[in-house]
Amino acid sequence: MDGTTNTGRLYGGVKSFACPNCGGIVDVRAPGQTLSAGCTHCGTVIDITDENFRILQEYNLKMKSPLIPLGSRGKLDGVTWEVIGFMTRKSGLWDFYWDEYLLFNPIHGFHWLTNAYGHWTLVEGMMDKPTYSSDGKTVNFEKKNYKRFSGGDAVIQYVIGEFYWFAEIGDTVKVYDFISPPEVISAEIENGGIFWSKGRHIEPAEIKEAFNLFDTDGKGSI
């Protein structure tokens, strides 16, 4: 899931099409790179590489309102990002949930913004791989050790917006996190392949400021 695959469709700026399930308008903000889109009106997941917009999953979900609405733009680390996708994942073993926002910039590609019970992390894919210790309990990257913190299945529970792979409810991957606060390195394993990413803790106040999420009382919802 490196986000580099082109669809051969929907080039140019923001594009729209009618959801084949409910007829609601679905926006595509990363044309040429998006493979699937979850309708924000009914939750149906659509293959936008198919000329007939084939339905991958049909759901009439009770829709959720992400804390950062799809289409929002905000500046983090000096780059303006647009929120184009949102999903909720759950641990395969415990009643532990977290949200993931897919961020897109036409020059810098994709980043992720994750939220686990108010703890936010800005995540980007890694070009270079870390090295494992002999016991597998730590990884080393750029002369820095990261200790294994957690690991297990991550299962998609909810998905709306667009993604650079075919994201569907029920999809499961293995995820292992290695930490050296305030940074984390994660390994996501699926079908024998490993996708490495690196993240850093980010304060809620920075998220509010970046995406202008303040209410009239100045507090905001994050």
Side-chain angles (χ1 to χ4, degrees), residues 155-175:
V155 186
I156 295 179
Q157 302 290 299
Y158 182 86
V159 56
I160 55 173
E162 61 194 90
F163 298 89
Y164 51 79
W165 76 96
F166 295 112
E168 300 180 44
I169 293 173
D171 284 353
T172 303
V173 297
K174 294 284 186 183
V175 177

Side-chain angles (χ1 to χ4, degrees), residues 70-178:
L70 294 184
S72 298
R73 293 184 178 182
K75 183 175 287 188
L76 296 170
D77 292 345
V79 176
T80 298
W81 299 98
E82 184 170 11
V83 179
I84 67 170
F86 171 79
M87 67 170 59
T88 297
R89 279 177 161 175
K90 177 185 180 297
S91 167
L93 294 177
W94 300 284
D95 194 26
F96 181 85
Y97 295 82
W98 66 95
D99 295 331
E100 300 186 0
Y101 297 80
L102 180 59
L103 310 180
F104 176 71
N105 176 281
I107 296 175
H108 297 274
F110 299 96
H111 273 38
W112 285 94
L113 192 57
T114 70
N115 176 26
Y117 302 96
H119 297 279
W120 292 83
T121 306
L122 182 64
V123 181
E124 61 180 312
M126 295 171 57
M127 298 298 293
D128 298 320
K129 299 178 181 178
T131 57
Y132 278 101
S133 62
S134 58
D135 60 8
K137 293 182 179 181
T138 63
V139 296
N140 183 277
F141 183 70
E142 295 181 341
K143 300 181 179 180
K144 188 174 183 179
N145 288 322
Y146 295 76
K147 295 182 179 180
R148 181 168 167 173
F149 176 72
S150 62
D153 289 343
V155 186
I156 295 179
Q157 302 290 299
Y158 182 86
V159 56
I160 55 173
E162 61 194 90
F163 298 89
Y164 51 79
W165 76 96
F166 295 112
E168 300 180 44
I169 293 173
D171 284 353
T172 303
V173 297
K174 294 284 186 183
V175 177
Y176 296 93
D177 291 334
F178 300 83

Side-chain angles (χ1 to χ4, degrees), residues 47-64:
D47 176 0
I48 72 163
T49 70
D50 183 89
E51 63 181 8
N52 296 313
F53 298 109
R54 178 173 62 94
I55 291 176
L56 296 172
Q57 281 187 325
E58 184 174 321
Y59 278 88
N60 288 295
L61 298 172
K62 181 178 180 181
M63 305 305 293
K64 296 176 61 175

